[in-house]
């Protein structure tokens, strides 16, 4: 995706596939939202931030609209948390430093919650537990194999 002098260039087939949609207008709106996120307060778009946001979303390879929206949110929250962390690190006034540090912490917690939601949504909420090492000590008993809860016995 390229933004130059008010013109957004999106290569539709590649972009649309990489953000998990078949809808042209939706992919354009998502691209426009990323452009807005990459713009400074003066409205000038930082192409490197736009590339970073775009590649973060594409790297998550959303498979549908929910994953696409979560990926965009995660990219924006990550960008904002890094900006707040930078402000916090550079701030010399203690009160401002504490405000930036608190905002950084909130954004990073939000990102962690979003990542968990993304993972849960993608896996259908299934949890898989793999036991790799089992130790049975003298006098103990173990069953090896698939164990299912069944009926019939006392």
């Amino acid at each position: 995706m390229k933004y130059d002098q008010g013109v957004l260039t999106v290569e539709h087939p590649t972009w649309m596939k990489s953000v998990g949609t078949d809808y042209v207008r939706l992919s354009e709106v998502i691209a426009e939202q990323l452009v807005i996120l990459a713009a400074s307060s003066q409205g000038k778009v930082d192409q490197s931030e736009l590339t970073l946001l775009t590649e973060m979303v594409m790297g998550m390879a959303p498979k549908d609209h929910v994953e696409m929206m979560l990926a965009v949110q995660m990219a924006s929250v990550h960008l904002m948390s890094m900006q707040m962390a930078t402000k916090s690190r550079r701030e010399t006034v203690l009160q401002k430093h504490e405000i930036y540090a608190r905002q950084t912490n909130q954004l990073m917690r939000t990102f962690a919650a979003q990542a968990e939601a993304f993972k849960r949504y993608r896996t259908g909420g299934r949890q898989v537990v793999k036991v790799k090492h089992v130790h049975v000590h003298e006098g103990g008993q173990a069953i090896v194999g698939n164990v299912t809860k069944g009926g019939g016995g006392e």
Side-chain angles (χ1 to χ4, degrees):
M1 179 174 10
K2 184 82 172 152
Y3 186 82
D4 190 27
Q5 299 175 355
V7 177
L8 177 64
T9 307
V10 178
E11 302 201 11
H12 285 296
T14 303
W15 171 248
M16 289 172 56
K17 182 179 180 201
S18 65
V19 296
T21 186
D22 294 328
Y23 298 101
V24 174
R25 183 64 189 135
L26 179 59
S27 71
E28 290 172 344
V29 169
I30 292 298
E32 289 167 3
Q33 290 173 342
L34 294 176
V35 168
I36 292 166
L37 284 167
S40 69
S41 57
Q42 294 81 28
K44 183 170 175 7
V45 175
D46 182 330
Q47 187 62 47
S48 65
E49 278 189 7
L50 180 58
T51 300
L52 173 70
L53 288 164
T54 304
E55 289 179 356
M56 279 193 269
V57 172
M58 292 170 71
M60 286 185 258
K63 294 175 177 44
D64 61 27
H65 295 155
V66 172
E67 287 190 10
M68 173 187 55
M69 291 182 283
L70 274 169
V72 170
Q73 290 174 15
M74 290 170 67
S76 65
V77 168
H78 172 74
L79 180 64
M80 290 187 305
S81 65
M82 294 300 101
Q83 290 169 340
M84 280 298 132
T86 300
K87 285 183 177 186
S88 176
R89 187 177 60 82
R90 293 180 179 163
E91 186 55 61
T92 57
V93 177
L94 181 60
Q95 287 176 319
K96 286 185 177 181
H97 171 77
E98 288 175 348
I99 289 168
Y100 294 144
R102 191 170 32 256
Q103 288 175 336
T104 301
N105 187 324
Q106 288 173 343
L107 287 163
M108 289 182 174
R109 287 175 184 264
T110 298
F111 181 86
Q114 289 170 324
E116 182 61 31
F118 187 89
K119 178 182 173 187
R120 219 176 21 252
Y121 181 82
R122 183 167 272 184
T123 62
R126 293 183 313 271
Q127 291 185 346
V128 177
V129 177
K130 292 183 180 180
V131 179
K132 294 188 178 194
H133 301 285
V134 176
H135 299 279
V136 180
H137 297 281
E138 188 175 329
Q141 294 179 348
I143 299 172
V144 178
N146 293 329
V147 178
T148 58
K149 185 176 182 180
E154 290 289 322

